[in-house]
Amino acid sequence: MSNAAGGEPGKAPTLMTMTIEFHRHRADRPWTREDVRDLPEGFRYEIEDGNLIVMNSPSPQHQYVALQVMRLLNDAAEAAGVDLVAVGPVDVATPSERGGYRSPDIALIPGELTEGGYDLLMGDDVLLAVEVTGKDAITRDTITKPLVYARLGIPYYWVVRIDGPEPVVTVYRRVGGRYEEMVTVPAGESVTITEPFPITIEPARLVRRRR
């Protein structure tokens, strides 16, 4: 297996992606989640139609922003009195002939699913999927994954872009089997959406500021 790690010593790692073709690495059968459990730690893995996708672990900035988004969603859900919890990353099954799963950075799911006994989620379990997107994941998170999540029936999808000088949040809603943009919120603005429940989005509050 090729090494997906990149970056220079002393610099924060960037999120890089590569796909290991099924016919080159597993000629006998497609990759499965059981196979992934035996792979080296330090990477994130997904499976698309039997092919293994390998990604570097997220950068500290990526993880910080994801944590803030989870806090935002959990606080808003509690204020709205709904039993929904933001967690991530989690594996969501992508049914296909050779099987697979995707791992959104954040998934908004019923609270009961956090009580144990659940490992692989289904699309019906997820109300909202969120991807925190750096420079190396723009195509994947804005083109590929929306198609996958929409096909799974996930009603809402957010893209939190951190590839520019300031974060930008775009909110999508599933309509007729595909996502349509509801609103894009740049840093410096504050927008309150009402779906799936009232949430005030302030992108500037998602990143750490020097004191």
Side-chain angles (χ1 to χ4, degrees), residues 120-193:
L120 180 64
L121 299 179
M122 305 303 292
D124 291 345
D125 296 324
V126 182
L127 180 62
L128 162 68
V130 183
E131 295 291 354
V132 178
T133 306
K135 292 180 180 179
D136 298 308
I138 296 173
T139 299
R140 186 188 72 228
D141 291 349
T142 62
I143 297 178
T144 305
K145 284 204 169 181
L147 294 175
V148 174
Y149 295 154
R151 189 171 69 243
L152 294 177
I154 298 175
Y156 299 95
Y157 179 54
W158 290 14
V159 176
V160 182
R161 292 189 59 162
I162 57 173
D163 57 305
E166 295 289 346
V168 177
V169 178
T170 300
V171 177
Y172 299 91
R173 173 177 53 199
R174 187 174 181 269
V175 178
R178 63 186 181 87
Y179 288 120
E180 293 185 356
E181 182 178 328
M182 293 176 60
V183 64
T184 292
V185 188
E189 294 189 13
S190 175
V191 173
T192 298
I193 59 175

Side-chain angles (χ1 to χ4, degrees), residues 1-5 15-21 25 43-46 51-56 136 140:
M1 181 178 64
S2 299
N3 192 332
L15 186 63
M16 299 176 63
T17 306
M18 68 176 183
T19 300
I20 299 178
E21 295 296 338
H25 294 267
F43 298 95
R44 286 179 61 179
Y45 301 99
E46 297 180 342
N51 294 325
L52 181 67
I53 300 173
V54 184
M55 296 167 285
N56 277 354
D136 298 308
R140 186 188 72 228

